[in-house]
Amino acid sequence: MTAAASASPSAARAAAPSAARSAARSTGASAVDKGVGPLLRGWREQRRVSQLELALRADSSARHISFVETGRSRPSEEMVLRLAEHLDVPVRDRNALLLAAGYAPRYPETPLDDPALDALREGVERLIQGYEPYPAFVVDATYNVVAANRGIAMLLDTVPEHLLAQPLNAMRLTLHPEGLAPRIRNLREWRGHLLAQMERDIALRRSEPLRALYEEVAAYPYPAEGSPGSENESDEGPGETVPYFALPMQIEHDGRVLSFISSISTFNTPMDVTVAELAIETLLPADPATVKYLQSLMS
């Protein structure tokens, strides 16, 4: 799991929009300063796509792509969006490309508590509540928790109050030495999985706030290899080994070891920056003992 929070969904939501809008303003300003050509070239090089390959994908020519990147040709609004689509540029950065090319942003950034997103917000909250007693939560682009169900609250019942202050951050809660980390039995493996996930997100989004979070949580101390708590231990008896189909998070809770497989969902073809950056993470019980224990909480 990238862990989440025990606070109410509405309280968690309130902390996210202002930081996101601030990031968008700084991104837009820097984009205008750089110009669209260098920005497109940066995305193309990061995606390891040649000018010819991009031209073929976008129904253009390598010569035109070269002229755009060097500033000799100004791309149309349609071309900017087409190139961004084929380079898998995040929605927030597509706005930055449009601004740098002299066009208005195409995608709004609606605060999550805006009435315009009522249907989406209510649908997401019904989804994660319907997943109970299994844990589920929703995070934004920097892993701040914007909604969580009671299954998550159960896992966080021993986390100190200062880590539950707004804005709640899933990575910080999971890897902090006073958070869930001491209870995660396979911390070395799970920590490596989470840091690799953040590295992929940084490569995709080129987000400075996300990079700062990565540097913070990567610096947290954790048990050295061979020390107590560094091995993947289990309270299950001999002969009860479970053949996991994906890397589980194995976490101690109330004298038991619970095992979860993480699944992350995002929205198809989002037309709003806020919606594009939301991710729903659900924790699927990875063995019969975890299923039995969680279902007993409902009885």
Side-chain angles (χ1 to χ4, degrees), residues 175 177 181-189 191 220-231:
L175 297 177
R183 292 163 44 202
I184 298 176
R185 301 293 287 270
N186 57 336
L187 178 59
R188 176 174 291 276
E189 291 176 291
R191 175 181 181 274
Y220 289 159
Y222 67 100
E225 190 168 5
S227 65
S230 66
E231 299 297 327

Side-chain angles (χ1 to χ4, degrees), residues 164-186:
L164 299 177
Q166 299 293 339
L168 300 159
N169 187 272
M171 289 295 183
R172 192 174 289 120
L173 282 165
T174 304
L175 297 177
H176 195 283
E178 295 181 68
L180 296 182
R183 292 163 44 202
I184 298 176
R185 301 293 287 270
N186 57 336

Side-chain angles (χ1 to χ4, degrees), residues 56-117:
L56 292 172
R57 292 181 187 179
D59 193 24
S60 183
S61 68
R63 178 184 176 88
H64 182 58
I65 299 298
S66 176
F67 278 18
V68 167
E69 290 185 355
T70 58
R72 294 180 65 182
S73 178
R74 181 190 182 214
S76 66
E77 183 178 9
E78 179 188 0
M79 177 59 74
V80 172
L81 292 172
R82 194 187 313 162
L83 294 176
E85 176 70 23
H86 289 291
L87 291 172
D88 195 24
V89 176
V91 171
R92 178 184 297 279
D93 295 283
R94 295 184 193 194
N95 277 345
L97 289 172
L98 288 168
L99 282 170
Y103 303 110
R106 172 69 63 90
Y107 305 97
E109 184 176 1
T110 310
L112 195 55
D113 56 359
D114 191 287
L117 294 184

Side-chain angles (χ1 to χ4, degrees), residues 54-256:
L54 179 58
L56 292 172
R57 292 181 187 179
D59 193 24
S60 183
S61 68
R63 178 184 176 88
H64 182 58
I65 299 298
S66 176
F67 278 18
V68 167
E69 290 185 355
T70 58
R72 294 180 65 182
S73 178
R74 181 190 182 214
S76 66
E77 183 178 9
E78 179 188 0
M79 177 59 74
V80 172
L81 292 172
R82 194 187 313 162
L83 294 176
E85 176 70 23
H86 289 291
L87 291 172
D88 195 24
V89 176
V91 171
R92 178 184 297 279
D93 295 283
R94 295 184 193 194
N95 277 345
L97 289 172
L98 288 168
L99 282 170
Y103 303 110
R106 172 69 63 90
Y107 305 97
E109 184 176 1
T110 310
L112 195 55
D113 56 359
D114 191 287
L117 294 184
D118 280 352
L120 177 136
R121 187 175 61 253
E122 291 167 6
V124 166
E125 290 181 358
R126 280 198 301 272
L127 178 65
I128 63 174
Q129 289 167 10
Y131 197 67
E132 294 174 354
Y134 305 154
F137 58 100
V138 185
V139 295
D140 65 14
T142 53
Y143 294 96
N144 287 327
V145 179
V146 298
N149 70 5
R150 289 178 295 178
I152 288 296
M154 171 201 67
L155 293 179
L156 296 180
D157 58 3
T158 63
V159 173
E161 286 296 323
H162 71 89
L163 285 180
L164 299 177
Q166 299 293 339
L168 300 159
N169 187 272
M171 289 295 183
R172 192 174 289 120
L173 282 165
T174 304
L175 297 177
H176 195 283
E178 295 181 68
L180 296 182
R183 292 163 44 202
I184 298 176
R185 301 293 287 270
N186 57 336
L187 178 59
R188 176 174 291 276
E189 291 176 291
W190 196 249
R191 175 181 181 274
H193 155 68
L194 295 185
L195 294 180
Q197 177 179 317
M198 294 185 74
E199 288 170 353
R200 289 192 296 271
D201 285 346
I202 290 169
L204 175 64
R205 298 172 180 163
R206 304 200 300 195
S207 164
E208 288 306 317
L210 188 57
R211 182 175 296 279
L213 176 65
Y214 174 88
E215 292 174 354
E216 175 192 336
V217 299
Y220 289 159
Y222 67 100
E225 190 168 5
S227 65
S230 66
E231 299 297 327
N232 188 352
E233 303 169 353
S234 174
D235 288 344
E236 296 172 343
E240 297 183 43
T241 302
V242 175
Y244 294 114
F245 50 88
L247 177 67
M249 179 190 70
Q250 297 179 318
I251 184 169
E252 297 177 4
H253 176 74
D254 197 23
R256 298 170 174 81

